[in-house]
Amino acid sequence: RAAYLAMGQTREKKAFDYLRERVGDRQMPLSIRGHLLLGLAESVQWLGEGQRNDARERLESVLQEGDERVQLAAARALGSLGERAALGPLQGLAKRVTHQFESDVLRIVKGLESKSPGSSDKRLETLETKIRKLEHELTTLTSRARKDAE
């Protein structure tokens, strides 16, 4: 089961491609399919916006399936993906599922709503700033080492 989740964490585009192709496999046991959906969400954390959108759209399509357990697994994967663009489909799902699953879906919606738009952009900007500072420190230390060696 966890193999699909682990595959998604490998940071390999091949893993994304493999998982993406299996999202619609309804013959797969539910316990395994949930891990596949989460693996797909994990696999795009390191890929570009196009792959993120593709994964979001595929996961949103699973929200339309008849089995609420599969729908909930897809909702959890969308929550893990962290894309605010999925709010509409998730809010729609919350209105369609039984009371048993409604609170779970609403918790995922609330989590996505609390994410500020562009939060990943801010995180990227922070990391870029840290890299620039480290590059500057490395250059300074290299200069000092050269001067000390002379």
Side-chain angles (χ1 to χ4, degrees), residues 56-77:
R56 180 183 47 78
E57 290 168 1
R58 287 177 186 267
L59 291 169
E60 287 174 354
S61 73
V62 176
L63 296 178
Q64 304 305 315
E65 292 186 18
D67 189 324
E68 286 187 334
R69 296 169 301 166
V70 173
Q71 292 171 333
L72 184 59
R76 287 182 177 136

Side-chain angles (χ1 to χ4, degrees), residues 9 21 27 32 53 92 94 97 133 143-144:
Q9 295 172 340
E21 294 304 317
Q27 302 304 315
I32 295 173
N53 288 336
V97 295
K133 286 180 182 179
S143 281
R144 285 184 192 165

Side-chain angles (χ1 to χ4, degrees), residues 5 13 16-17 23 36 44-45 48 53 57 60 78 89 91 106 108 113 139:
L5 182 56
K13 186 178 181 311
F16 165 72
D17 293 336
V23 167
L36 179 130
V44 296
Q45 299 299 327
N53 288 336
E57 290 168 1
E60 287 174 354
L78 284 165
Q91 290 165 336
L106 289 175
I108 294 165
E113 287 175 337
T139 303

Side-chain angles (χ1 to χ4, degrees), residues 116-129:
S116 61
S119 63
S120 59
D121 293 338
K122 290 177 187 176
R123 190 174 65 197
L124 180 60
E125 187 176 317
T126 301
L127 290 172
E128 287 173 341
T129 301

Side-chain angles (χ1 to χ4, degrees), residues 33-102:
R33 195 157 180 221
H35 282 88
L36 179 130
L37 298 174
L38 284 171
L40 179 67
E42 282 292 319
S43 72
V44 296
Q45 299 299 327
W46 313 103
L47 298 175
E49 187 176 341
Q51 287 93 356
R52 289 180 70 83
N53 288 336
D54 184 14
R56 180 183 47 78
E57 290 168 1
R58 287 177 186 267
L59 291 169
E60 287 174 354
S61 73
V62 176
L63 296 178
Q64 304 305 315
E65 292 186 18
D67 189 324
E68 286 187 334
R69 296 169 301 166
V70 173
Q71 292 171 333
L72 184 59
R76 287 182 177 136
L78 284 165
S80 174
L81 188 59
E83 293 289 326
R84 290 177 56 91
L87 280 171
L90 286 169
Q91 290 165 336
L93 177 65
K95 294 175 184 173
R96 293 191 317 268
V97 295
T98 59
H99 184 68
Q100 174 185 358
F101 292 116
E102 181 184 17

